[in-house]
Amino acid sequence: MKIAIIGAGPTGIAAGHELRKQGFDDFIIFEASDGIGGTWYLHSYPGLACDVWAHAYTFTDNPNPDWSSRFVPQPEIQQYIESSAEKFGLRQHIRLGKEVSRAEYVDTAQWRLHFSDGSEHDCNVVINAMGNQHTAQLPDLPGINDFGGESWHSTFWNHDVDVSNKRVLVVGSAAAAIQIVPEMAKLAAQVTVLQRTPNWILERGNKPYSALRKRFNRWLPFLPRLYRRGMQLMMGLMHEGALLGHKRMDMMEKMGNSYREKTIEDPALAAMLKPDSRFGCKRPVVSDDFYPALNRDNVQLVDCGAERVNTAGIVTSAGEQIDADIIIYCTGYKLSDLDRIEVTGPDGKQLAEDMARAQEAFRGVAVPGYPNFFFGADPNGVVLSVSYFKSVEANIGYIVRLLRELEEAGASELQADEKRTREYNDWLKTQFELFAWGDNACSSYYQNADGTTPFLFPGNYKLFCQQKQASGLSEFNLTSSEAK
């Protein structure tokens, strides 16, 4: 069985590792970039760090005793993912600079990958490990190309531009902005932040780890695993905190309000920063330095969105002209961008068209009509209460087990059953409304314009794993090897 994995980020490395663990060795990981790490290789903006505790943000089989602090910056995470690929023996399987433009089903259990350089690769199985929240989403603003200064999305940071003593305008106030603004405030003459809606921000409480502690972590390997388990238990509170009516939601909101009130010096500014949505509706964020940065004399928060762009800067939705030398768009990503590559199934079926109608899959990994094609993290394949690594490891473990059972059954391909896929997604819809992020009253990037919520799994990690463990080949439609 020849297997192709698209992407060498956390999902792709998890896939390669699990394949080797379960006895598969004929696979290649194709990565469009010239480095390993996925999102953590692509993004490099100032202040970029993970908002999950470092010891929880690891592969299960590679705890890291050398994390520098509770929360670590981008270069450290990228290096960890790269070293994990080395430890798992995946270097020989990885092909860098190989951008997949199209995946085409050509025959029973036969897929052909087409690359942007004109080359091709045939395989029996495709695992889409490209992750999510990858494609930068610029706002649809009139005149966005008319600005006379420098501008870019946070994903594509222009390191050639010196922000010192410049007027920097940051559009957005969520996850990327709260990391970028404090760094800009240290250098720029003026930083203006356009906040369309405020977010729940909790104190991060980041602290460096001493050299002695790191030595203990190396001497006593059970310690990093113990930290990981404890941090995962704490992350489980996020699941309860997003449940409508749960007392944990009130607790989280109290923590957010308390942190804001003790940190923000101006009562009027504190009022602008108070969220008008329930905790968990939008992605909760953690920061130690965003609120203090807003207290600085050279930083201004404008409590409205952008209306249009002109040569001098931006006109806000309140009609105010804000001039700038640099505009930085912290406006997020296209959610679950499953159309990044063209996927053509049997009889010319187009995955992008099917996903446009409904971003649905069976147990988050397979779509009816696309045999031997799997997703590593989409749709509804991420659990809010655990790190991304844990979610994708569960998905990948399920996929690889299915492939092993497929071989043992003497069959050549499997595909999701339409009836079971419909039943599974109908069940998902009954669960979304239990959470702040799935409630109709919520408006956030977790939801598409049509109100669907294709990103998160509406349950805890235990249920997420139980459903996969109870599933096997009997839930899929099989094609025998003789049909090939």
Side-chain angles (χ1 to χ4, degrees), residues 279-430:
F279 185 86
C281 165
K282 304 177 186 296
R283 175 183 174 181
V285 288
V286 294
S287 175
D288 291 330
D289 49 10
F290 180 64
Y291 282 165
L294 295 180
N295 288 328
R296 295 175 59 121
D297 292 337
N298 68 328
V299 180
Q300 177 189 17
L301 181 76
V302 177
D303 193 26
C304 60
E307 182 71 26
R308 64 183 184 274
V309 184
N310 53 35
T311 56
I314 280 180
V315 178
T316 72
S317 56
E320 178 186 1
Q321 170 72 40
I322 300 178
D323 293 342
D325 302 307
I326 299 169
I327 298 177
I328 302 169
Y329 293 100
C330 298
T331 48
Y333 308 90
K334 184 178 179 182
L335 182 62
S336 300
D337 48 351
L338 303 178
D339 58 354
R340 257 188 283 165
I341 63 171
E342 180 184 345
V343 179
T344 304
D347 303 320
K349 283 173 61 68
Q350 295 293 315
L351 182 63
E353 294 177 1
D354 289 342
M355 289 292 102
R357 285 189 288 270
Q359 284 185 276
E360 298 177 343
F362 182 63
R363 306 212 185 283
V365 302
V367 178
Y370 297 88
N372 286 8
F373 187 95
F374 301 96
F375 293 115
D378 265 315
N380 301 114
V382 175
V383 184
L384 181 63
S385 59
V386 297
S387 78
Y388 183 79
F389 285 78
K390 291 278 284 185
S391 291
V392 299
E393 284 181 333
N395 292 330
I396 293 299
Y398 174 51
I399 292 168
V400 179
R401 174 169 60 83
L402 289 172
L403 294 178
R404 176 170 48 78
E405 293 175 0
L406 184 72
E407 283 198 329
E408 292 171 353
S412 61
E413 68 177 21
L414 62 83
Q415 65 174 300
D417 178 77
E418 288 192 15
K419 182 174 182 294
R420 288 191 173 92
T421 301
R422 180 73 273 132
E423 291 172 349
Y424 175 71
N425 282 277
D426 286 345
W427 172 80
L428 288 177
K429 291 175 182 177
T430 67

Side-chain angles (χ1 to χ4, degrees), residues 74-252:
Q74 171 265 334
E76 206 169 330
I77 298 171
Q78 191 274 326
Q79 184 180 26
Y80 166 76
I81 298 171
E82 188 170 359
S83 66
S84 296
E86 190 78 39
K87 179 177 179 178
F88 296 154
L90 300 179
R91 280 286 189 176
Q92 62 181 332
H93 295 275
I94 297 174
R95 305 291 184 269
L96 299 176
K98 295 294 290 184
E99 182 182 14
V100 178
S101 57
R102 183 157 65 100
E104 175 190 14
Y105 181 88
V106 293
D107 200 354
T108 302
Q110 292 291 319
W111 283 87
R112 179 166 296 151
L113 300 184
H114 300 262
F115 299 90
S116 57
D117 62 8
S119 61
E120 298 176 350
H121 175 78
D122 288 348
C123 57
N124 309 118
V125 176
V126 178
I127 299 177
N128 183 330
M130 294 192 296
N132 45 40
Q133 300 181 75
H134 173 93
T135 303
Q137 186 161 274
L138 286 168
D140 185 18
L141 295 174
I144 195 169
N145 296 319
D146 296 339
F147 180 57
E150 300 283 354
S151 66
W152 59 80
H153 191 278
S154 58
T155 299
F156 307 107
W157 194 270
N158 190 340
H159 292 279
D160 294 331
V161 176
D162 184 4
V163 303
S164 300
N165 301 315
K166 301 289 179 59
R167 297 168 299 172
V168 177
L169 176 53
V170 177
V171 180
S173 61
I178 69 164
Q179 296 183 333
I180 289 171
V181 168
E183 300 303 312
M184 296 298 97
K186 298 173 187 176
L187 301 171
Q190 176 68 37
V191 179
T192 304
V193 184
L194 293 190
Q195 172 190 267
R196 190 170 55 179
T197 54
N199 298 274
W200 286 105
I201 300 176
L202 302 179
E203 188 172 12
R204 185 166 62 162
N206 195 23
K207 292 183 179 179
Y209 290 135
S210 67
L212 179 62
R213 179 163 180 171
K214 287 187 278 189
R215 282 200 295 271
F216 271 114
N217 289 343
R218 290 190 291 273
W219 292 337
L220 304 171
F222 71 88
L223 284 178
R225 296 185 185 277
L226 188 63
Y227 301 150
R228 187 175 193 257
R229 182 172 298 181
M231 291 170 178
Q232 287 168 354
L233 288 174
M234 295 178 69
M235 289 183 66
L237 302 179
M238 297 297 289
H239 169 75
E240 296 175 344
L243 274 171
L244 292 168
H246 198 287
K247 63 180 180 181
R248 197 77 67 192
M249 179 179 286
D250 295 332
M251 184 192 82
M252 292 294 186

Side-chain angles (χ1 to χ4, degrees), residues 246-282:
H246 198 287
K247 63 180 180 181
R248 197 77 67 192
M249 179 179 286
D250 295 332
M251 184 192 82
M252 292 294 186
E253 292 181 354
K254 184 177 180 180
M255 289 171 58
N257 287 330
S258 175
Y259 175 51
R260 183 180 63 255
E261 289 165 5
K262 78 174 184 179
T263 310
I264 296 297
E265 299 166 357
D266 180 3
L269 177 60
M272 285 193 291
L273 290 164
K274 185 175 183 179
D276 54 7
S277 59
R278 298 307 307 266
F279 185 86
C281 165
K282 304 177 186 296

